[in-house]
Amino acid sequence: MAVEEEGLRVFQSVKIKIGEAKNIPPYPGPNRMRDCFCTVNLDQEEVFRTKIVEKSLCPFYGEDFYCEIPRSFRHLSFYIFDRDVFRRDSSIGKVAVKKEDLQKYQGKDTWFQLQPISADSEVQGKVHLELRLSEVITDSGAISHKLATRVLECQGLPIVNGQCDPYAAVSLLGPSRSEAKKTKVKRKTNNPQFDEVFYFEVTRPPSCTKRQFDVEEDDVDKLALRVDLWNASNLKFGDEFLGGVRVPLRVLGQAGVHDAWYFLQPRENGGKSVKVEDLGSLRLNIVYTEDHVFPSEHYTPLRDLLLDSANAEPVSASAAHVLGEVCREKQEAAVPLVRLFLHYGKIVPFISAIAHAEINRTQDPNTIFRGNSLTSKCIDETMKLAGMHYLQVTLKPIIDEICTEHKPCEIDPVKLKESENLEANRENLRQYVDHIFGVITTSGVRCPTVMCDIFFSLRESAATRFQVDQDVRYTAVSSFIFLRFFAPAILSPNLFQLRPHHPDPATSRTLTLISKTIQTLGSLAKSKSANFKESYMAAFYDHFNEQKYADAVKNFLDLISTSGKWDQKSIETPIMLKEGSVRVMVQRVDGRGSKGRFMIKRAQGRKRFGMKNFKKRWFRLTNHEFTYHKTKGEGALCSIPIENILAVERLEEESFKMKNMFQVIQPERALYIQANNCVEARDWIDILTKVSQCNRKRLSTYHPSAYLNGHWLCCRLLADTAPGCTPCTGGLPANIQLDVDGDRETERIYSLFSAYMTKLTKMQEACGSKSVYDGPEQEEYSSFVIDDPQETYKSLRQIISAVQTLEQQHTKYKRDKFKKTKIGSQEHPIGDKSFQCYVRQQSESSTYSI
């Protein structure tokens, strides 16, 4: 989700590798091991959790998580939990990284010390305060001064035990005073509107008689306002602390008025030293990205250069190929390039051009596409994007079966357990390999067209280059479809969205053995048993040394490398795309898609709308239907054919005072659904929208709020059949894997060119050297592939010019934004590091007057 900023869109994303934890404190008692899992949180909102690693104090997770961050946040937090014998989760410790500190750890494996978790430190949200110091005359004629403190509102308070009933406690603190007052409690909201004013008497020297006077700095410095937010609790343990702020009165400045937003802070411990218990540590690799994307016309010069790469002569002189040359890792360049070319429908000619050039540079057909070149990385990325649904259809059912059955398949005699039989294990493994081999080699008709076109190009180029080798037309394709697509997906199904988590060790071993065998079957090597270092694998593979397997592979490769012959077909078997537990409410709508009377699932006798009207249900989305069930595994309570989904849109929070809500609109009724967190809500909306994008009767407008108390909350229209007042979200492509923002990808490519500007300059020098130097190639320039120095130099000059123009745009944007940034505004609340900056902004004077 992008945040709009005056014509500029800001995207946030994070990619995390949760490695391992070590030295977790042992469980008290005879069984000292723990069953631990880790969660990823935006502030305190959980957006991901790992599998549970049982009976370990040094659990290894090895799980990757990526998400687009749909809202602002202060901390990226990681919690380690232990699940005890009663299946209760108890917290062990946490790692909290401030948003502004994420760049310190960018892309580096880092060990973080786990910190203790306490209610006083679990703080999020912000508060809006207005302070005014005024002079009043008492009945006796004396002058006194009062501080009027207005607590306006809070935003983003944490949810405590499923609810938030906040109130604010306001105190004026001084050397010999502490006076506290409270607001009213606001029920069931974490964005309370208080708008209450409190008055505090400010003590003045008795000698002061002037009607107009300067407030002495020493007196002001001794006073501070404290505002603490609390959750009103019915529990005997008392109210929960939600966060607070301390505002020294010197911020009042010369005007005696202060109006600002503040980030809530943890409770101070009064300067007491706290002994920090050793809770262990957690290894993380965090890559946080923030893309500032300008309107499309700003990217035209660079985008045109990139998209014309397939036509460049030679292709090594093109802008896209140059990017691959200057990036430290080819993968860095491949990801945005592939997404950009896919978005504009030019991926096949681009990959064909760079693959043809690489094949012509290859001397031995047995080493074709063996290196981590730009070509291989681009094809890998294309298969991941265009082929993800193909993988789901082909492999997910059998991978699920293997992970569920837990059949023993170990065939290494050294690793065999006493209770296992080697022949029985070998037969289990053979059956799994036969099954997977069968579903792969019969899946050619479903291979995406874009992949078939690329494979056709590889096949033709390889066959032309190595005319003597009759098998090269197969090995050029199998090196990708088997070695880089199916085999890795079998080995690590969680990385290809086939499983939510990495499998347990025994299942992971089974998948490793299957992956090795499938990889060898697809390689069409002359002596296959020799491919295995392990003798037990060579012996196992003897079963597959039959011509029928080689014939099946060749037939499959022929099928998927025949350009234009096959389109992606509709799949008769339902494939599960997403499932999970969420809350749901049902609303009736008429046959034209307009909303009508409520039909609400709620407890008997309940009349008001609220949390109790929403029932927790298990939702499943397949390529055929969207269903919900009372619990996982039970029959469907409701089934919605995909073709009946007319729109999927967010529901405004004010409708039911609930976050993370969306609506699925059908001809007969609509579902109001609450997801568990903001990331999950976005995922459900995205995938539901994409699978229903081509439905003929999709709505063009919708109501973003509910119909309550005789009118629509959004547009105030009275008729429940009134057409929608807001345009539906549109523009998403029907192919759910190719939802790409071309401008964002061009911005990412610009960022790479900008980061590697010194290498671009060095490559220019290399072009000059090759043009005029008549001896051996200079070693310092030997890392670059430069086939035509003049054309490459020309491209480099155009790239650098386009990058410098964009650099100027970014510099101007940052300068203008800095000028407009007002610390203390709702967008930039005052935090623990920005207070001094705020004071300097307000006044350079040390005298405060009224």
Coordinates of all heavy atoms in Angstrom, one line a residue, residues 37-41 43-44 61 77-81 91-96 114 117 121-122 282:
F37 N 8.6 -20.5 19.7 CA 8.4 -19.9 18.4 C 8.6 -18.4 18.5 O 8.7 -17.8 19.6 CB 7.0 -20.2 17.9 CG 5.9 -19.6 18.8 CD1 5.3 -18.3 18.5 CD2 5.3 -20.3 19.8 CE1 4.3 -17.8 19.2 CE2 4.3 -19.8 20.6 CZ 3.8 -18.5 20.3
C38 N 8.8 -17.8 17.3 CA 9.1 -16.4 17.2 C 8.0 -15.6 16.4 O 7.5 -16.2 15.5 CB 10.4 -16.2 16.5 SG 11.0 -14.5 16.3
T39 N 7.7 -14.4 16.8 CA 6.7 -13.6 16.1 C 7.3 -12.4 15.6 O 8.3 -11.9 16.2 CB 5.4 -13.3 17.0 OG1 5.8 -12.3 18.0 CG2 4.8 -14.5 17.6
V40 N 6.8 -11.8 14.5 CA 7.2 -10.5 13.9 C 6.0 -9.6 14.2 O 4.9 -9.9 13.8 CB 7.5 -10.6 12.4 CG1 7.9 -9.3 11.9 CG2 8.6 -11.7 12.2
N41 N 6.3 -8.4 14.7 CA 5.3 -7.5 15.1 C 5.6 -6.1 14.5 O 6.8 -5.6 14.6 CB 5.1 -7.3 16.6 CG 4.7 -8.6 17.3 OD1 5.3 -9.7 17.1 ND2 3.6 -8.6 18.0
D43 N 5.1 -2.7 15.8 CA 4.8 -2.2 17.1 C 4.3 -3.4 17.9 O 5.1 -4.4 18.1 CB 3.7 -1.1 17.1 CG 4.3 0.2 16.4 OD1 5.5 0.5 16.7 OD2 3.6 0.8 15.7
Q44 N 3.0 -3.5 18.3 CA 2.6 -4.7 19.1 C 1.6 -5.5 18.2 O 1.0 -6.5 18.8 CB 1.9 -4.3 20.4 CG 2.8 -3.7 21.4 CD 2.2 -3.4 22.7 OE1 1.5 -4.2 23.3 NE2 2.3 -2.1 23.2
Y61 N 15.2 -21.6 13.3 CA 14.0 -21.4 12.6 C 14.2 -21.4 11.1 O 13.6 -22.1 10.3 CB 13.3 -20.0 13.0 CG 13.0 -20.0 14.5 CD1 13.7 -19.3 15.4 CD2 11.9 -20.8 14.9 CE1 13.4 -19.3 16.7 CE2 11.5 -20.8 16.3 CZ 12.3 -20.0 17.2 OH 12.0 -20.0 18.5
S77 N 9.3 -5.3 15.8 CA 9.6 -6.1 17.1 C 9.5 -7.6 16.8 O 8.8 -8.1 15.9 CB 8.6 -5.7 18.2 OG 8.7 -4.4 18.5
F78 N 10.3 -8.3 17.6 CA 10.4 -9.8 17.5 C 10.3 -10.3 18.9 O 11.0 -9.9 19.8 CB 11.7 -10.2 16.9 CG 12.0 -9.6 15.5 CD1 12.5 -8.4 15.4 CD2 11.6 -10.3 14.3 CE1 12.8 -7.8 14.2 CE2 11.9 -9.7 13.1 CZ 12.4 -8.5 13.0
Y79 N 9.3 -11.3 19.1 CA 9.1 -11.8 20.4 C 9.3 -13.3 20.4 O 9.0 -14.0 19.4 CB 7.6 -11.6 20.8 CG 7.2 -10.2 21.1 CD1 7.1 -9.3 20.1 CD2 7.1 -9.8 22.4 CE1 6.7 -7.9 20.4 CE2 6.7 -8.5 22.7 CZ 6.6 -7.6 21.7 OH 6.2 -6.2 22.0
I80 N 10.0 -13.8 21.4 CA 10.2 -15.3 21.6 C 9.2 -15.8 22.6 O 9.1 -15.2 23.7 CB 11.6 -15.6 22.0 CG1 12.6 -15.2 20.9 CG2 11.7 -17.1 22.3 CD1 12.6 -16.0 19.7
F81 N 8.4 -16.8 22.2 CA 7.4 -17.3 23.1 C 7.7 -18.8 23.4 O 8.3 -19.5 22.5 CB 6.0 -17.2 22.6 CG 5.4 -15.8 22.6 CD1 5.6 -15.0 21.4 CD2 4.7 -15.3 23.7 CE1 5.1 -13.7 21.4 CE2 4.2 -14.0 23.6 CZ 4.4 -13.2 22.5
S91 N 5.7 -15.4 27.3 CA 6.8 -14.7 26.6 C 8.1 -14.8 27.4 O 8.1 -14.9 28.6 CB 6.4 -13.2 26.6 OG 6.1 -12.7 27.9
I92 N 9.2 -14.9 26.6 CA 10.5 -15.0 27.1 C 11.3 -13.7 27.0 O 11.9 -13.2 27.9 CB 11.3 -16.2 26.4 CG1 10.6 -17.5 26.7 CG2 12.7 -16.2 26.8 CD1 11.2 -18.7 25.9
G93 N 11.2 -13.1 25.8 CA 11.9 -11.9 25.6 C 11.6 -11.3 24.3 O 10.9 -11.9 23.5
K94 N 12.2 -10.1 24.0 CA 11.8 -9.5 22.7 C 13.0 -8.7 22.2 O 14.0 -8.4 22.9 CB 10.7 -8.5 22.9 CG 11.0 -7.3 23.6 CD 9.9 -6.3 23.6 CE 10.2 -5.0 24.3 NZ 9.1 -4.0 24.3
V95 N 13.0 -8.4 20.9 CA 13.9 -7.5 20.2 C 13.1 -6.4 19.6 O 12.1 -6.8 18.8 CB 14.8 -8.2 19.2 CG1 15.6 -7.2 18.4 CG2 15.7 -9.2 19.8
A96 N 13.3 -5.2 19.9 CA 12.6 -4.1 19.3 C 13.5 -3.1 18.6 O 14.4 -2.6 19.2 CB 11.7 -3.3 20.3
L114 N 18.1 -10.5 23.6 CA 16.6 -10.4 24.0 C 16.5 -9.6 25.2 O 17.3 -9.7 26.2 CB 16.1 -11.8 24.2 CG 15.9 -12.8 23.0 CD1 15.6 -14.2 23.4 CD2 14.9 -12.2 22.1
I117 N 10.2 -8.4 28.7 CA 8.9 -7.8 28.3 C 8.2 -7.4 29.6 O 8.0 -8.1 30.5 CB 8.1 -8.8 27.5 CG1 8.9 -9.3 26.3 CG2 6.7 -8.3 27.2 CD1 8.2 -10.4 25.5
S121 N 6.9 -1.2 29.2 CA 7.7 -0.9 28.1 C 7.0 -1.1 26.8 O 7.4 -0.8 25.7 CB 9.0 -1.7 28.1 OG 8.7 -3.1 27.9
E122 N 5.8 -1.8 26.8 CA 5.0 -2.1 25.7 C 4.2 -0.9 25.3 O 3.0 -0.8 25.6 CB 4.1 -3.3 25.9 CG 4.9 -4.6 26.2 CD 5.7 -5.1 25.0 OE1 5.1 -5.6 24.1 OE2 6.9 -4.8 25.0
L282 N 18.9 -13.5 19.5 CA 18.2 -13.9 18.3 C 18.9 -13.4 17.1 O 19.3 -12.2 17.0 CB 16.8 -13.3 18.3 CG 15.8 -13.7 17.1 CD1 15.6 -15.1 17.0 CD2 14.5 -12.9 17.3

